[in-house]
Structures are given as structure tokens and as C-alpha cells.
Amino acid sequence: MSINDTLTSFSLAAPGDKLPAGLWLKCSACGEVIYKRALQAHFNVCPSCGHYSPLTAWERIRQLTDNDENGFSEMDARLRSADPLDFAGDGSYPAKLKDAQENTGLVDAVVTGKAWLDGHRFGLAVMDFRFMGASMGSVVGEKITRLTEWTTKRELPLVIVTASGGARMQEGALSLMQMAKTAAALERHDEEGLPLIVILTHPTTGGVTASFASLGDVILAEPHALVGFAGPRVVEQTIRQKLPENFQRSEYLLEHGFIDAIVERKELRGVLSGLLRTFNK
């Protein structure tokens, strides 16, 4: 069913009746008002202008795994961040964590687990930008490391879907250490000849880009995704030069060899299935 069919089939309430809240959404790019279920059916891509709205971690997991009870089994679901540095000394970090957990329904910024897609078994990690900008703290690094070690032991492919503002400042150097920890685990995974597929989504920046997001055997990206270490404005101010058009966007990175392909969201499931099939031969 097309979006137009979906919209046509939706029955508007009679005059004077109250519509339930949240049925319609406004595209942040073009301002088009879109029926929410129609938008969700097209993976949160605006039918008018093609703008990509974010997917939650669980929406992404449903997109990339089999739609049955065996499609995805979460790992390390109870692993929680502490406040090892007593950040700012006023309890602000624990309060922010609690708010993020209540607002997203997640324990931290990444969901990891055992996955199946079209008969192929693999490890899957999906970051969720809603949780403190998907900043990488100790829990994010630990969960990705544990998942990597699990796939290495079982000789399975690993898929990581990234979205992040970088290291979590509330954990200081402990956050930066996750870059080395995840990279070391992925090095052992690579030494066993096992594939890592990275899917870059908007935005992927900072320490995540500088570690596991750049280490894929195959690196895919969604259209127009911002990917880099420092943001374009910071780079421009530092080098005091005007940056090229589309600098750090996935199209620019493809042209300069940093990524292997740009894949539209509606095609991503099929592309991933094909890659898993190829690697499993």
C-alpha cells in the first residue's frame, strides 16, 4: 500500500470530534504534515522531500531482523552506568541518566543482542541518539565489547548501527578508554577472519567515529548522514578556511573513499541480508 493509499484509507473524525493526539507529524525539513502510521510504514522517511527522521533502536532492530520471537534476543539488558567521577559533585549525572531512561525506555544508549535475518545468525548493536545523544560511556563500550567477544567465540558476523555525539563527558577518561577497548576486541574479531559491517546514521561523530565506527570491513551509510570527528563548524573555525559543500556528509565521504556505499533506508534490510549471505559462503 502506498502512502497516498494509506492516507486515503484513514477516516477523519466528524466535525467537532476530537482527534487523538499524535496521529499527525510535521516534517522538520519541508513542513509537510504526514499521517504518523504512513510515515512509520516508510521507515520515517518523508514522502514529500525524502528527509530522514531518526529511528529508535528498537525500530531499527525490527527493520534489520526476522519478525519472529527468534529474530532478536537482547544481551546485557541490565548493565547500567554508575557515576564513578561524582560528576560536578551535585548528582546531576545520575539525574540525567534517570531522565533519559524514563524518556526512552532504554537502560543506556546502545541495545545489543543475538540476531537472525533470513537464516543468517549475527551479533547486532544499535545506538539510539535519544539517550544523551548516544554518547559513549562505559556501558556503551562494555556492551559492544561483550557482543564482539560473543560473536568472535561463535565465529559470527557483527553488525553495528551507529549514531552518536561522541564520548560521554560525565565519565571523563573512562569514556575515552572505551575507544581502545572496543577497538582491541574488534581486532581479535578481525584476526579470526570474521566480518564487521558498520551502518552509519545521522549523526555519527566524536569518539565513536574515531573507534569502532571506522573499523568495518564494509561501511554503509544512510543518505545525507553527518559523519566525522569534530563538527564542521569546529573544523572551519580551527583551520580558518571555508569547507567544501557537503563536507562530512555521507555523499562526500563516499566520493573520498571513507565509506563503501550509501543505502536508502528502505533498501537496507535487503542489502544487509545479501552481505550476510556473501560472508557466510
Side-chain angles (χ1 to χ4, degrees):
M1 180 180 287
S2 69
I3 283 189
N4 288 334
D5 292 336
T6 305
L7 291 173
T8 302
S9 66
F10 176 69
S11 177
L12 290 174
D17 289 348
K18 290 185 177 180
L19 287 172
L23 282 179
W24 299 86
L25 299 172
K26 188 174 183 179
C27 176
S28 60
C30 69
E32 184 77 12
V33 178
I34 312 163
Y35 180 39
K36 183 177 181 179
R37 287 179 59 185
L39 186 64
Q40 291 172 336
H42 287 73
F43 308 112
N44 284 8
V45 179
C46 176
S48 296
C49 68
H51 174 70
Y52 277 50
S53 296
L55 291 174
T56 68
W58 284 104
E59 286 173 335
R60 183 76 67 178
I61 288 166
R62 286 192 290 271
Q63 181 197 8
L64 299 181
T65 60
D66 290 335
N67 298 318
D68 57 39
E69 60 182 12
N70 297 318
F72 185 80
S73 177
E74 188 176 2
M75 299 170 59
D76 300 310
R78 297 183 179 181
L79 206 59
R80 293 176 176 268
S81 293
D83 186 14
L85 305 181
D86 188 22
F87 184 76
D90 59 2
S92 60
Y93 181 37
K96 283 183 170 62
L97 286 171
K98 184 178 179 181
D99 287 344
Q101 289 161 355
E102 291 176 350
N103 292 334
T104 64
L106 303 176
V107 175
D108 213 286
V110 68
V111 178
T112 60
K114 313 165 189 177
W116 286 88
L117 176 61
D118 298 335
H120 306 293
R121 192 185 188 199
F122 61 103
L124 176 62
V126 181
M127 304 186 77
D128 195 318
F129 198 80
R130 298 175 302 155
F131 196 105
M132 297 185 68
S135 51
M136 180 173 63
S138 299
V139 167
V140 170
E142 181 67 15
K143 291 180 75 170
I144 289 176
T145 299
R146 290 188 186 188
L147 179 67
T148 302
E149 292 173 343
W150 181 85
T151 57
T152 302
K153 184 176 181 180
R154 289 158 181 80
E155 299 183 341
L156 294 173
L158 174 61
V159 178
I160 304 177
V161 183
T162 67
S164 179
R168 189 170 296 177
M169 66 175 186
Q170 291 90 346
E171 296 187 20
L174 294 175
S175 176
L176 298 178
M177 290 168 62
Q178 307 311 309
M179 297 169 62
K181 183 167 72 175
T182 54
L186 288 170
E187 174 65 19
R188 292 189 290 270
H189 188 264
D190 182 68
E191 288 172 352
E192 296 299 321
L194 301 170
L196 167 63
I197 301 170
V198 175
I199 302 169
L200 305 170
T201 73
H202 177 79
T204 297
T205 61
V208 169
T209 302
S211 55
F212 55 84
S214 300
L215 297 177
D217 297 289
V218 176
I219 302 180
L220 309 176
E222 289 192 330
H224 314 303
L226 175 67
V227 180
F229 183 65
R233 184 177 61 183
V234 174
V235 174
E236 204 165 57
Q237 291 174 346
T238 301
I239 67 175
R240 300 177 185 275
Q241 294 182 25
K242 185 69 176 176
L243 295 173
E245 187 177 358
N246 272 343
F247 180 74
Q248 292 186 330
R249 296 289 174 173
S250 49
E251 291 77 12
Y252 182 92
L253 298 176
L254 177 64
E255 183 181 343
H256 289 79
F258 182 79
I259 63 176
D260 297 296
I262 296 172
V263 183
E264 291 189 19
R265 193 173 284 174
K266 64 182 179 180
E267 306 292 342
L268 190 55
R269 179 186 179 96
V271 170
L272 178 58
S273 179
L275 286 170
L276 293 171
R277 186 185 314 114
T278 300
F279 283 123
N280 282 337
K281 288 182 179 180

